[in-house]
């Protein structure tokens, strides 16, 4: 018998943003250190190398200077491996000329996805839903949205 995947509910507006440590395309990251002195847009995508996810992340990368100018850091997440993320980043750069200079979390353990409610019961256990979180400089949760 298959054991159901335990999932957390999505943080609500006003909740403290859950802290975490994760492996990213730019090395180890502790969220509470990453967001010091800035806003953070944390977003998830279901899988690397898919057309829609590639388009979404490429557009975030194209607008990164705008976000940085407005004191906002980008932070992506999927449950793909670090090796998949790195290959995907290189593939996007080779095919589009766009470089993703923000970290992508490799959340193969699904720890961060569970903290932020990015896994929905009854859906794919190997994909996060699309979610966007705007987090304040003090790590208080501000807003979110999800789609499939």
């Amino acid at each position: 018998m298959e054991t159901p995947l335990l999932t957390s509910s999505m943080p609500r507006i006003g909740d403290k943003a859950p802290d975490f440590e994760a492996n990213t395309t730019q090395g180890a990251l502790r969220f509470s250190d990453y967001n010091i002195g800035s806003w953070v847009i944390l977003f998830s995508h279901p899988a690397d190398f898919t057309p829609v996810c590639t388009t979404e992340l490429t557009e975030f990368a194209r607008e990164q200077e705008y976000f940085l100018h407005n004191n906002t850091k980008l932070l992506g997440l999927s449950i793909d491996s670090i090796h998949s993320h790195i290959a995907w980043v290189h593939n996007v750069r080779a095919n589009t000329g766009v470089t993703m200079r923000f970290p992508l979390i490799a959340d193969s353990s699904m720890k961060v996805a569970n903290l932020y409610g990015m896994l929905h019961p009854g859906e794919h256990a190997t994909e996060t839903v699309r979610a966007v979180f705007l987090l304040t400089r003090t790590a208080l949760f501000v807003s979110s949205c999800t789609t499939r």
Side-chain angles (χ1 to χ4, degrees):
M1 178 180 267
E2 198 173 307
T3 305
L5 180 67
L6 298 176
T7 59
S8 298
S9 62
M10 187 171 282
R12 294 167 35 145
I13 293 173
D15 288 350
K16 183 170 176 55
D19 195 14
F20 58 85
E21 293 180 19
N23 189 22
T24 78
T25 52
Q26 296 182 1
L29 178 141
R30 177 188 294 271
F31 179 71
S32 57
D33 293 336
Y34 183 71
N35 78 332
I36 291 175
S38 68
W39 295 81
V40 174
I41 295 177
L42 170 63
F43 54 92
S44 63
H45 63 281
D48 296 347
F49 293 100
T50 61
V52 173
C53 296
T54 300
T55 301
E56 292 169 344
L57 271 70
T58 299
E59 290 309 311
F60 268 125
R62 286 184 181 169
E63 297 298 328
Q64 187 166 7
E65 289 304 318
Y66 169 83
F67 289 112
L68 291 173
H69 178 75
N70 288 286
N71 199 30
T72 304
K73 296 177 183 174
L74 300 173
L75 182 58
L77 175 144
S78 86
I79 59 176
D80 289 320
S81 72
I82 192 67
H83 304 292
S84 177
H85 281 345
I86 290 169
W88 186 40
V89 167
H90 289 297
N91 181 273
V92 168
R93 184 175 56 235
N95 289 301
T96 67
V98 175
T99 302
M100 294 181 202
R101 291 177 285 131
F102 50 85
L104 293 175
I105 297 169
D107 192 26
S108 55
S109 69
M110 298 182 250
K111 181 178 92 177
V112 180
N114 272 308
L115 282 173
Y116 281 85
M118 296 174 181
L119 300 169
H120 287 188
E123 296 293 329
H124 289 276
T126 58
E127 291 181 353
T128 54
V129 295
R130 284 181 176 82
V132 179
F133 300 88
L134 176 61
L135 306 166
T136 68
R137 295 178 183 102
T138 56
L140 294 175
F141 179 80
V142 175
S143 183
S144 75
C145 68
T146 60
T147 64
R148 284 291 297 151

